[in-house]
Amino acid sequence: MPWLQHKRVGAADVYSLTDGLFRLDGGSMFGSVPKVLWEKVAPADEDNRIQLRSNPLLIQLGGRNILVDTGFWDRGGEKFDQMYAVERDETTFRGLGELGLSPDDIHYVINTHLHFDHCGRNTSLLGEPTFQNARHIVQRQELHDATHPHERSRASYIPETFVPVMEADLFDVVEGETEIVPGVKVLPLPGHNLGQQGVVLESEGEVLVYTADLLATTAHAPYPYVMGFDLYPVTCLETRKKYLPQWHEQHAIICTPHDPNVAFARLVEGRRGYTLEKMEE
Ligand SMILES: [Zn+2]
């Protein structure tokens, strides 16, 4: 079955795309959670890495094509691809192509943040912006942090993925919660870093949330399942406590950026807090 998966949300059509598989260290992905617990939900390979996926999202609403995240950096070379066990079984572009769309048809790119596994396809092999007709939405904080990295954040930022977009003046820099088109807004979700934003779609009483790395996969829903990669783990916890009850209450469809198997999920409340359960197709 191809990854391209569809949900109707009110008046919007939403497609979960994929830019392929990769792997990261399981311990880093689950922070202080012991391996005996996390490996039940995310089995590790011989290098202790777990399977992840890069899952951009396409929202079509009111005649506008909105791409949320663009995919995984594809110009790192053989060593880079090996380190992350990259498998490009599908790409963002093939997914768009199946829908009859080319990069020129995208009106908005929402960069949840500028880590290379989220904005990797912002630029083409020629080093130019891929989505030439799109306004690229980014938080001011994130653009600042990406252009002023420190020793703990530098490995996540690859300037070739965002500097050409800056130079072509295609960024719309926003601060805080901002409506992009009626029914689609970006929402700051600090913790993974300071400038990360999620996306909330609300149409005809239905709600869908793209969580960015606040919830990297469906396995990350329990409050303490905060990543070692998160720069501000307690902030991440506070952001979760602020929004998960709200999204649960709204019966929101939840899309995570890295689940290897699940495109659309819902929050379920249990004795020990929240989990994410795959929605019926
Ligand atoms: Zn990520």
Side-chain angles (χ1 to χ4, degrees):
M1 192 189 70
W3 179 264
L4 189 66
Q5 291 177 54
H6 172 255
K7 276 270 179 278
R8 183 85 180 168
V9 181
D13 285 297
V14 179
Y15 296 89
S16 177
L17 308 174
T18 185
D19 204 39
L21 294 156
F22 64 104
R23 288 178 178 270
L24 288 174
D25 184 82
S28 302
M29 283 302 291
F30 288 99
S32 60
V33 179
K35 186 175 181 183
V36 289
L37 292 182
W38 62 250
E39 72 178 349
K40 288 181 193 160
V41 284
D45 69 7
E46 65 276 14
D47 293 324
N48 207 48
R49 298 174 304 182
I50 63 163
Q51 186 71 75
L52 300 166
R53 198 176 257 293
S54 168
N55 302 330
L57 197 73
L58 178 76
I59 300 172
Q60 296 186 303
L61 180 62
R64 292 279 172 262
N65 296 316
I66 303 164
L67 183 63
V68 182
D69 282 347
T70 58
F72 198 93
W73 172 241
D74 65 338
R75 281 177 281 151
E78 209 177 311
K79 218 174 137 190
F80 182 92
D81 283 3
Q82 267 172 20
M83 184 158 82
Y84 294 107
V86 174
E87 283 176 62
R88 294 193 177 83
D89 59 345
E90 279 297 329
T91 69
T92 304
F93 306 118
R94 279 204 289 268
L96 292 175
E98 276 188 47
L99 299 170
L101 299 173
S102 82
D104 287 349
D105 295 321
I106 301 301
H107 300 94
Y108 295 96
V109 166
I110 297 176
N111 285 138
T112 61
H113 57 307
L114 295 173
H115 289 173
F116 67 79
D117 54 327
H118 293 257
C119 71
R121 303 288 199 165
N122 273 17
T123 54
S124 69
L125 291 174
L126 300 172
E128 292 168 347
T130 309
F131 304 95
Q132 301 265 351
N133 298 325
R135 300 308 302 169
H136 293 56
I137 314 297
V138 69
Q139 290 284 327
R140 182 176 303 284
Q141 177 80 52
E142 180 61 2
L143 196 55
H144 174 272
D145 291 348
T147 48
H148 301 76
H150 51 65
E151 290 75 5
R152 180 72 156 69
S153 68
R154 187 166 285 121
S156 302
Y157 292 116
I158 297 177
E160 290 95 317
T161 60
F162 53 84
V163 170
V165 180
M166 290 169 70
E167 287 173 350
D169 205 21
L170 292 178
F171 273 124
D172 276 353
V173 178
V174 298
E175 280 181 89
E177 193 173 321
T178 306
E179 184 178 73
I180 308 306
V181 301
V184 179
K185 68 179 180 186
V186 294
L187 180 71
L189 298 176
H192 181 54
N193 58 16
L194 289 180
Q196 174 176 257
Q197 58 187 353
V199 179
V200 180
L201 160 67
E202 282 192 77
S203 179
E204 298 175 357
E206 294 187 63
V207 180
L208 177 142
V209 177
Y210 189 85
T211 62
D213 280 337
L214 181 72
L215 304 173
T217 74
T218 57
H220 285 86
Y223 281 141
Y225 280 44
V226 168
M227 296 190 286
F229 288 119
D230 292 335
L231 293 181
Y232 306 92
V234 176
T235 307
C236 179
L237 182 63
E238 287 165 357
T239 305
R240 288 163 169 226
K241 286 186 160 173
K242 181 172 177 185
Y243 288 115
L244 265 54
Q246 189 177 316
W247 297 338
H248 177 255
E249 178 94 352
Q250 292 172 319
H251 209 48
I253 300 171
I254 304 290
C255 300
T256 68
H258 296 313
D259 200 286
N261 304 308
V262 178
F264 301 103
R266 283 204 207 271
L267 285 162
V268 176
E269 197 175 13
R271 210 159 37 88
R272 295 213 195 119
Y274 294 108
T275 52
L276 274 170
E277 283 185 10
K278 182 180 177 164
M279 286 175 70
E280 297 299 320
E281 315 252 311

Short mmCIF file of all heavy atoms in Angstrom, two decimals, residues 22 24 29 53 69 112-113 115-118 192 196 212-213 216 227 257-258, ligand 1:
data_model
loop_
_atom_site.label_atom_id
_atom_site.label_comp_id
_atom_site.label_asym_id
_atom_site.label_seq_id
_atom_site.Cartn_x
_atom_site.Cartn_y
_atom_site.Cartn_z
N PHE A 22 14.06 6.77 7.99
CA PHE A 22 15.41 6.97 8.54
C PHE A 22 15.43 6.39 9.96
O PHE A 22 14.40 5.95 10.47
CB PHE A 22 15.82 8.45 8.51
CG PHE A 22 15.00 9.38 9.37
CD1 PHE A 22 15.52 9.86 10.58
CD2 PHE A 22 13.74 9.78 8.99
CE1 PHE A 22 14.78 10.73 11.37
CE2 PHE A 22 12.99 10.64 9.78
CZ PHE A 22 13.51 11.12 10.97
N LEU A 24 17.12 6.84 14.08
CA LEU A 24 17.86 7.60 15.08
C LEU A 24 18.02 6.75 16.33
O LEU A 24 17.24 5.79 16.54
CB LEU A 24 17.12 8.89 15.45
CG LEU A 24 17.09 10.02 14.40
CD1 LEU A 24 16.20 11.15 14.90
CD2 LEU A 24 18.49 10.54 14.10
N MET A 29 15.80 9.21 21.40
CA MET A 29 14.40 9.47 21.04
C MET A 29 13.45 9.39 22.24
O MET A 29 12.34 9.91 22.19
CB MET A 29 13.92 8.48 19.98
CG MET A 29 14.40 8.75 18.58
SD MET A 29 13.96 10.38 17.94
CE MET A 29 12.18 10.25 17.76
N ARG A 53 10.07 7.91 10.22
CA ARG A 53 9.71 8.29 8.87
C ARG A 53 9.60 9.80 8.83
O ARG A 53 9.34 10.44 9.86
CB ARG A 53 8.35 7.64 8.53
CG ARG A 53 7.99 7.56 7.10
CD ARG A 53 6.68 6.80 6.92
NE ARG A 53 6.85 5.44 6.44
CZ ARG A 53 7.29 5.10 5.23
NH1 ARG A 53 7.64 6.01 4.37
NH2 ARG A 53 7.39 3.84 4.89
N ASP A 69 5.88 21.05 6.45
CA ASP A 69 7.20 20.42 6.37
C ASP A 69 7.43 19.89 4.94
O ASP A 69 6.49 19.58 4.21
CB ASP A 69 7.42 19.33 7.42
CG ASP A 69 7.72 19.93 8.81
OD1 ASP A 69 8.02 21.15 8.88
OD2 ASP A 69 7.67 19.19 9.80
N THR A 112 7.67 23.77 10.26
CA THR A 112 7.42 23.70 11.71
C THR A 112 8.66 24.15 12.47
O THR A 112 8.56 24.81 13.50
CB THR A 112 7.03 22.28 12.17
OG1 THR A 112 8.11 21.37 11.88
CG2 THR A 112 5.76 21.81 11.48
N HIS A 113 9.82 23.76 11.97
CA HIS A 113 11.11 24.26 12.45
C HIS A 113 12.12 23.93 11.36
O HIS A 113 11.76 23.31 10.36
CB HIS A 113 11.48 23.72 13.84
CG HIS A 113 11.52 22.23 13.98
ND1 HIS A 113 10.47 21.40 13.63
CD2 HIS A 113 12.49 21.40 14.44
CE1 HIS A 113 10.79 20.14 13.89
NE2 HIS A 113 12.02 20.11 14.37
N HIS A 115 14.99 22.10 11.33
CA HIS A 115 15.87 20.93 11.40
C HIS A 115 15.82 20.20 10.05
O HIS A 115 14.78 20.17 9.39
CB HIS A 115 15.43 19.99 12.53
CG HIS A 115 15.69 20.56 13.90
ND1 HIS A 115 15.26 19.96 15.06
CD2 HIS A 115 16.37 21.67 14.29
CE1 HIS A 115 15.66 20.67 16.11
NE2 HIS A 115 16.32 21.73 15.66
N PHE A 116 16.95 19.57 9.70
CA PHE A 116 17.09 19.03 8.33
C PHE A 116 16.13 17.89 8.01
O PHE A 116 15.92 17.57 6.86
CB PHE A 116 18.54 18.60 8.07
CG PHE A 116 18.99 17.42 8.89
CD1 PHE A 116 18.62 16.12 8.53
CD2 PHE A 116 19.78 17.60 10.01
CE1 PHE A 116 19.03 15.03 9.28
CE2 PHE A 116 20.19 16.50 10.78
CZ PHE A 116 19.81 15.22 10.41
N ASP A 117 15.56 17.27 9.06
CA ASP A 117 14.59 16.19 8.78
C ASP A 117 13.18 16.74 8.59
O ASP A 117 12.24 15.98 8.35
CB ASP A 117 14.60 15.14 9.91
CG ASP A 117 14.38 15.73 11.29
OD1 ASP A 117 14.81 16.87 11.54
OD2 ASP A 117 13.77 15.04 12.13
N HIS A 118 13.03 18.07 8.64
CA HIS A 118 11.72 18.70 8.43
C HIS A 118 11.71 19.64 7.24
O HIS A 118 10.69 19.76 6.56
CB HIS A 118 11.30 19.46 9.70
CG HIS A 118 11.03 18.55 10.85
ND1 HIS A 118 9.75 18.23 11.26
CD2 HIS A 118 11.87 17.86 11.66
CE1 HIS A 118 9.83 17.37 12.27
NE2 HIS A 118 11.10 17.14 12.54
N HIS A 192 10.98 21.18 22.18
CA HIS A 192 11.98 20.54 21.31
C HIS A 192 13.09 21.56 21.02
O HIS A 192 14.27 21.27 21.08
CB HIS A 192 11.30 20.08 20.04
CG HIS A 192 12.19 19.38 19.07
ND1 HIS A 192 12.96 18.29 19.42
CD2 HIS A 192 12.46 19.61 17.75
CE1 HIS A 192 13.65 17.89 18.35
NE2 HIS A 192 13.37 18.67 17.35
N GLN A 196 9.75 26.18 17.64
CA GLN A 196 8.94 25.21 16.91
C GLN A 196 7.47 25.61 16.89
O GLN A 196 6.94 26.13 17.88
CB GLN A 196 9.08 23.84 17.55
CG GLN A 196 8.16 22.78 16.95
CD GLN A 196 8.38 21.41 17.52
OE1 GLN A 196 8.99 20.54 16.93
NE2 GLN A 196 7.87 21.19 18.73
N ALA A 212 4.33 18.55 14.99
CA ALA A 212 5.79 18.71 14.90
C ALA A 212 6.44 17.80 15.94
O ALA A 212 5.83 16.81 16.36
CB ALA A 212 6.19 20.18 15.05
N ASP A 213 7.62 18.10 16.41
CA ASP A 213 8.31 17.16 17.29
C ASP A 213 7.86 17.24 18.74
O ASP A 213 8.48 16.63 19.61
CB ASP A 213 9.83 17.35 17.19
CG ASP A 213 10.41 16.67 15.94
OD1 ASP A 213 9.77 15.73 15.44
OD2 ASP A 213 11.49 17.08 15.49
N ALA A 216 6.78 13.22 18.46
CA ALA A 216 7.49 12.83 17.24
C ALA A 216 6.84 11.63 16.56
O ALA A 216 6.82 11.53 15.34
CB ALA A 216 8.95 12.55 17.55
N MET A 227 11.82 13.57 24.49
CA MET A 227 13.04 13.11 23.83
C MET A 227 14.32 13.68 24.46
O MET A 227 14.34 14.82 24.92
CB MET A 227 13.02 13.53 22.35
CG MET A 227 11.93 12.89 21.53
SD MET A 227 12.13 13.21 19.76
CE MET A 227 11.65 14.93 19.65
N PRO A 257 5.10 13.84 12.99
CA PRO A 257 6.01 13.99 11.85
C PRO A 257 6.87 12.77 11.55
O PRO A 257 7.44 12.68 10.47
CB PRO A 257 6.91 15.16 12.27
CG PRO A 257 6.92 15.11 13.75
CD PRO A 257 5.55 14.63 14.15
N HIS A 258 6.98 11.81 12.50
CA HIS A 258 7.97 10.74 12.30
C HIS A 258 7.46 9.33 12.53
O HIS A 258 8.26 8.39 12.58
CB HIS A 258 9.17 10.98 13.23
CG HIS A 258 9.92 12.23 12.93
ND1 HIS A 258 10.29 12.58 11.65
CD2 HIS A 258 10.35 13.24 13.72
CE1 HIS A 258 10.93 13.74 11.68
NE2 HIS A 258 10.97 14.17 12.92
ZN ZN B 1 12.12 15.84 13.67
#
